[in-house]
Amino acid sequence: MPAEGRLLVLGAGTMGAQIAQQAALHGVDVALVDVSREQLERGTAQNRRLLEGRVAKGKLDAAEAEAALSRVHASDDLPSIAAECSWAIEAIVEQVDAKRQAFSELDRYLHDEAGIATNSSTIVSSRLASATRRPERVCNMHFFHPVLVMDVCEVVRNPKTSDDTVRDAVEWCARMGRRSVVIEKEIDGFVVNRVLGAASREAFALLTGGFASVGDIDVAVKAGLNWPMGPFQLADFSGLDTVLNVRRDRAGRSTDPGDAAAVELLEKLVGEGRLGRKSGRGFYDWSTTPPTPLPLPLPD
Ligand SMILES: NC(=O)c1ccc[n+]([C@@H]2O[C@H](COP(=O)([O-])OP(=O)(O)OC[C@H]3O[C@@H](n4cnc5c(N)ncnc54)[C@H](O)[C@@H]3O)[C@@H](O)[C@H]2O)c1
């Protein structure tokens, strides 16, 4: 089935609402479905704010913004809307059981030839495909936050994904105005989060090993590698509580003492309420321009 017709986005949270809006900005008619009416309203209002912001900055024509907003049809009635859709992107909570249930329902109500992709960052589609009668039509389509800005989507093939499905997923990305990269075999973290994870682990090892300061590591990475942001600024942007969860998960599977040292440091920072940019303080003090590196808590 070529990439045409209506797109279904399941889940109107942080990611789903913007995935739907991104497609609609490129002329795609979208059904945005969520179990929560409140969340649908919140997602729709958020999209309006984002597009109106673009209009105010002269980046988007007001009529185009209205047209794009009207192309997203919010609904909490999956069974009646799914039959009209030719491709689905699932962006609900990050829980395997909930996603398997959602995949089974999508399979029941979508057209037989429709593809089903998950936007999950950590759950590979082979764990969901068996909840459907169409495992060959299932893959990951991993968009990045904020979807309206980040121009890439990782299309990840599972062992049963057909070539046609990969081609269709790539075409849907193009139709939505997003570049795609294909990952031919499932692997934890796909490409972007693996490379980011490796860089971040090394930065923490240099810091906790006393080799260089937060500010100097970030300057070195920005100026020496031409990255827009150093690893500690990025950690502050992501939220140190979130980074701590990711690092704890890794430390639980690792024998590298550097992983435990990173967790210890992050636990202290989070314990002091230093959550990064959202709390105003993390590795940096965000009340100054540019942000200033803060002293680190002393090791035990
Ligand atoms: N937040 C990110 O930065 C980010 C980035 C890339 C990928 N992802 C992935 O995107 C997915 C969604 O993440 P999010 O941050 O948007 O989550 P979120 O919590 O903001 O939104 C999840 C939405 O799913 C809805 N929902 C739950 N169960 C549902 C069901 N059965 N049917 C329909 N809707 C249902 C909830 O009401 C909620 O609106 C996750 O798989 C996550 O791994 C998130």
Side-chain angles (χ1 to χ4, degrees), residues 13-15 34 39 91-92 94 99 119-121 142-143 145:
T14 309
M15 294 300 288
D34 201 293
Q39 190 63 44
I92 71 163
E94 190 70 346
K99 285 189 189 289
N119 179 52
S120 177
S121 305
H142 182 226
F143 293 88
H145 180 67

Side-chain angles (χ1 to χ4, degrees), residues 33-53:
V33 182
D34 201 293
V35 285
S36 155
R37 278 251 121 230
E38 204 179 44
Q39 190 63 44
L40 284 166
E41 279 162 25
R42 206 175 301 141
T44 305
Q46 166 89 4
N47 282 342
R48 174 165 288 281
R49 270 197 302 279
L50 289 169
L51 295 205
E52 284 176 353

Side-chain angles (χ1 to χ4, degrees), residues 155-295:
V155 173
V156 189
R157 183 195 272 280
N158 78 56
K160 294 198 171 145
T161 310
S162 69
D163 291 346
D164 284 354
T165 301
V166 172
R167 188 204 57 217
D168 291 349
V170 165
E171 278 182 17
W172 272 99
C173 290
R175 202 178 159 210
M176 296 169 64
R178 282 290 163 259
R179 276 194 287 197
S180 56
V181 293
V182 176
I183 291 134
E184 298 288 355
K185 290 192 280 186
E186 291 182 337
I187 184 162
D188 238 15
F190 311 142
V191 169
V192 172
N193 285 338
R194 283 188 83 80
V195 173
L196 173 64
S200 165
R201 265 194 309 283
E202 195 51 50
F204 271 94
L206 290 166
L207 178 68
T208 56
F211 294 97
S213 68
V214 163
D216 279 357
I217 294 169
D218 275 358
V219 166
V221 170
K222 272 163 70 172
L225 295 174
N226 208 14
W227 287 17
M229 215 183 274
F232 295 108
Q233 274 205 358
L234 184 59
D236 270 2
F237 261 95
S238 306
L240 298 191
D241 46 347
T242 305
V243 177
L244 173 59
N245 282 337
V246 173
R247 300 305 301 255
R248 265 196 190 130
D249 180 55
R250 182 181 162 83
R253 292 179 276 128
S254 156
T255 51
D256 182 343
D259 286 321
V263 168
E264 195 183 312
L265 171 60
L266 284 162
E267 277 173 347
K268 284 196 174 131
L269 291 167
V270 170
E272 290 176 11
R274 286 167 64 174
L275 304 183
R277 196 162 177 263
K278 63 186 167 189
S279 71
R281 288 159 60 86
F283 285 107
Y284 288 84
D285 176 356
W286 289 89
S287 65
T288 62
T289 312
T292 330
L294 287 167

Side-chain angles (χ1 to χ4, degrees), residues 13-76:
T14 309
M15 294 300 288
Q18 282 201 34
I19 292 170
Q21 195 57 69
Q22 174 63 27
L25 272 169
H26 288 261
V28 180
D29 188 37
V30 189
L32 177 60
V33 182
D34 201 293
V35 285
S36 155
R37 278 251 121 230
E38 204 179 44
Q39 190 63 44
L40 284 166
E41 279 162 25
R42 206 175 301 141
T44 305
Q46 166 89 4
N47 282 342
R48 174 165 288 281
R49 270 197 302 279
L50 289 169
L51 295 205
E52 284 176 353
R54 286 188 174 188
V55 171
K57 286 183 189 153
K59 291 181 175 170
L60 183 66
D61 181 75
E64 271 176 48
E66 282 309 320
L69 289 165
S70 71
R71 276 184 215 111
V72 179
H73 308 274
S75 168
D76 60 358

